[in-house]
Amino acid sequence: MGNESQQSCRPAAAPAAAVAAQARFPRIVAAAQFVAPLLFLLLLWELVVRAFGVSPRIFPDVEAVARAGWETIQDGTLVRHIGASLGRVAVGTVLAIAISIPLGVAMGLSPVVSSFLTPLFRFFSVLAGIAWIPIATLWFGYGFGAITFVIFNAVFFVVAYNTLLGVARIPMPLRQAAAALGAGGWSMLTQVILPGALPNIVTGVRTGLGFAWRGLIAAEMIATNVGLGYMLFLARDFYRTEVIVFGMIVIGILWLLIDRLLLAPLERATIERWGLVDRA
Amino acid sequence: MTPLLKAWSLYVRWTARFPAVRSIVPFIPVVALWAIVAASGLFPPVFLPGPADVVRSFGSLVYKGILPDYLQDSVVRLAVGAAAGMALGIPLGVLVGLNARARNMLWPILLFFQAIGDIAWLPILLIWFGFSLTTMTFVIVYTVLFPVVLNTALGVRSVPVELHRAARSLGASRARVVWEVVLPGALPNIMTGLRNGLGFGWRALIATEIIVGTSGIGFLMFDARRAGSVVEILLGMIVLGLLWYVVDGWILAPIERATGQRWGLVTQ
Amino acid sequence: MKSLTLRNVSKTYFDPYAGAHVTAVSDASLAVGQGEFVSIVGPSGCGKTTILNMIAGFIPVSSGEILLNDQPVKGPGPERGVVFQSFALFPWKTVLENVGFGPKMRGLPKAECDKIAREYLALAGLADAAERYPNELSGGMQQRVGVVRALANNPEVLLMDEPFASVDAQTRMTLQEELTRIWQERRPTIIFITHDVSEAVFLADRVIVLSKGRVLKELAVPLPRPRVWDRLIEDSAFKALSGQVLQLVRSA
């Protein structure tokens, strides 16, 4: 949604040179248009910190953040924290997706079963993620197990719920048409059920990962000694705002990368071409 | 007629008359299974107490007045945060939706700050405001803000140009067009944004209450965790789930549906 | 030569709202010859779609039997093609992939499927739309795809459930003429469900009027072919037959 709005909403009266440049390097111009406001924000930040002489214990200047960032990169702590966080997300998410999609499909196939189970999965997907932190830490202790469980849980229920809905919403005539054309169980699954539910599944994965990412940061603040959330929370103890701000920027960039490069293109590729947008 | 068909018929007719039955009945087997597993002694009761224990703890916490107090704290925080988030988010969304220059300038910034995520703000907020109500409110407003802004902008832009032109040629000023045409047209999207925002805001609230906590359901759960009381953690989770189920299913979703469907704007 | 036979077919199902069994079709008997074009017409709720769903094998019969070439019908199968009112095209497949779906299910190689699909698309004048997705086509074009998708599987019987009910009146007439043309070329057995009396008479060799789950009357349609609306719209025999059927349906 970000990309298309940028493209369709440029000021109408752009200078001729800009239009020509845009025609020649469309991607570079689009990227510049995206980055320019962020650079402006960076400038504003530096100006405000200097003009008002803000104490570094309240908010750091740009240079301090850059220096803190460089230090964490050099001594390897950043890589260690990012590695731990991404590792937990990857394990929890992959496990959750691998289990929830087959389960959701199985439950969605029968209208009676799916309408009966929908409230249950709604309830648990509403609870998904952060609300499980206390009990997860009690069951698994502080560390990898508890955090991965929270992520698993955030993705699992949301994806299962969306898959269930997606399968249940496939119009019956589509399944009948496939059966009348000779599709058996496996073809029915791969040609009709999965593609039909895919928009919902992708939306579920995107939402679930959003919950999981927040759950991860929260859980890492509470229940571990490595990871981005822990890095931020540790820095708080020493009033090292420059480390905190650097960590926030890293978290923002990581999520933008995950969402824009992995999830959004997937959603666009499947849903928009098929004209299923209004259903999802 | 077999008893099975009779039972099914009864269930269908009851759910037709009282739709709430549909959202309650499926929980009966789950609770029953939970009770059986808990009673079987497969897990130690400290690890997994049964439903009866949770009900008892519910009774005692209500009797002591702790649960109603905490529940009120959480709900008030969420409501204040949501109201502030909308008061900021809707005007900003209209601006971003209507003005191309503002959109070009603000869109990347909005996306970036949304990506940072509410909870990552907690450490620096704690430095600024300490373990206070301001910290919690900030986090919730922050969480609610972005979905509302992004969805409002989307809704504003989905209002057909003809409607703007029709209103202008009927003599409406630019400001009136915003009030009479743009906002009603964007309303279904605004409601969707609010619903998403509250979904995230509510999770942020729990996380904040766990970390910052002095009261609230999140605090109740984490306090219980410190004391090793699984009963109260489970109770907290159930209260949270029920609360959101009621708010979302019985208040927000119907409003969203009513605005969109009544006007035929929702194509679902 | 009899191709499809329904012998004393009944369908009752349990209605949980009423808490009782409801009869949708009762004791219907029917014989359709090979290559015959039969219309089944009746008011809504007369059981015509239920009959079609039973022949297609989507729902089982409660009693009686349905035979295709003396073999009882058990579940859906490629020898009975179905065209749906809602088109039921797969939105995630291109027009070509939709039409080639049946051959693909028979296990034919991709090139062969594409070849068959293109051949059938050309039959319906859709050669240019092969690479497009269904949502990019008009309703009339979508249903053309629906018809040739069923035909591409080379079914013995083509079952059509109010296929032209959701396209505009102009397109509907064109589609009806095209269908009679294709039928004359290929001669599949067609069972065509509709509530539109003139459509039923225009298309079929024989019209079956259904009422409250029972066969009310069968009427032969001895109009000459090829049939085109320009000629038939003023034809007295067509008018008389349509009037007769209409009266039966309204009295039903």
Side-chain angles (χ1 to χ4, degrees), chain A residues 170 173-174 176-184 187 191-192 195-196 272-276, chain C residues 58 76-78 80 82 84 86 88-93 101 104-105 133 135-136 149 153:
Chain A
I170 296 172
L174 278 190
Q176 293 177 334
L181 290 167
S187 316
Q191 309 285 320
V192 181
E272 284 178 12
R273 185 84 213 258
W274 300 343
L276 294 172
Chain C
F58 298 146
R80 284 156 288 133
V82 183
F84 296 83
S86 59
L89 302 178
F90 306 117
W92 46 86
K93 291 181 182 295
F101 187 82
K104 185 175 165 187
M105 290 301 110
Y133 282 88
N135 74 302
E136 298 164 358
R149 180 178 69 176
N153 224 10

Side-chain angles (χ1 to χ4, degrees), chain B residues 159-170:
Chain B
V159 177
V161 181
E162 288 82 31
L163 290 189
H164 285 258
R165 290 183 182 154
R168 292 281 294 180
S169 68
L170 288 167

Side-chain angles (χ1 to χ4, degrees), chain A residues 85 87-93 96 129 146-156 208-209 212-213 215-216:
Chain A
S85 292
R88 289 164 186 149
V89 170
V91 172
T93 306
I147 296 172
T148 311
F149 177 78
V150 169
I151 291 165
F152 172 84
N153 186 293
V155 177
F156 176 82
L209 258 178
W213 187 250
L216 170 85

Side-chain angles (χ1 to χ4, degrees), chain A residues 116-129:
Chain A
F116 187 78
L117 289 176
T118 302
L120 278 179
F121 274 80
R122 248 177 74 87
F123 182 84
F124 281 104
S125 63
V126 154
L127 268 184

Side-chain angles (χ1 to χ4, degrees), chain B residues 90 155-156 159 181-193 255-256 259-260 263 265:
Chain B
I90 294 175
V156 166
V159 177
V181 175
V182 172
L183 278 178
L187 195 58
N189 287 75
I190 296 176
M191 287 310 302
T192 307
I255 294 178
E256 188 184 355
T259 52
W263 302 335
L265 291 172

Side-chain angles (χ1 to χ4, degrees), chain A residues 55-118:
Chain A
S55 153
R57 283 183 61 146
I58 300 294
F59 208 84
D61 57 25
V62 178
E63 196 202 333
V65 171
R67 213 176 320 112
W70 182 240
E71 272 169 30
T72 55
I73 291 169
Q74 263 192 329
D75 65 10
T77 47
L78 183 68
V79 175
R80 200 161 52 89
H81 289 311
I82 290 180
S85 292
L86 289 184
R88 289 164 186 149
V89 170
V91 172
T93 306
V94 168
L95 264 181
I97 290 177
I99 301 175
S100 60
I101 292 179
L103 193 70
V105 168
M107 295 182 309
L109 284 176
S110 150
V112 176
V113 174
S114 67
S115 73
F116 187 78
L117 289 176
T118 302

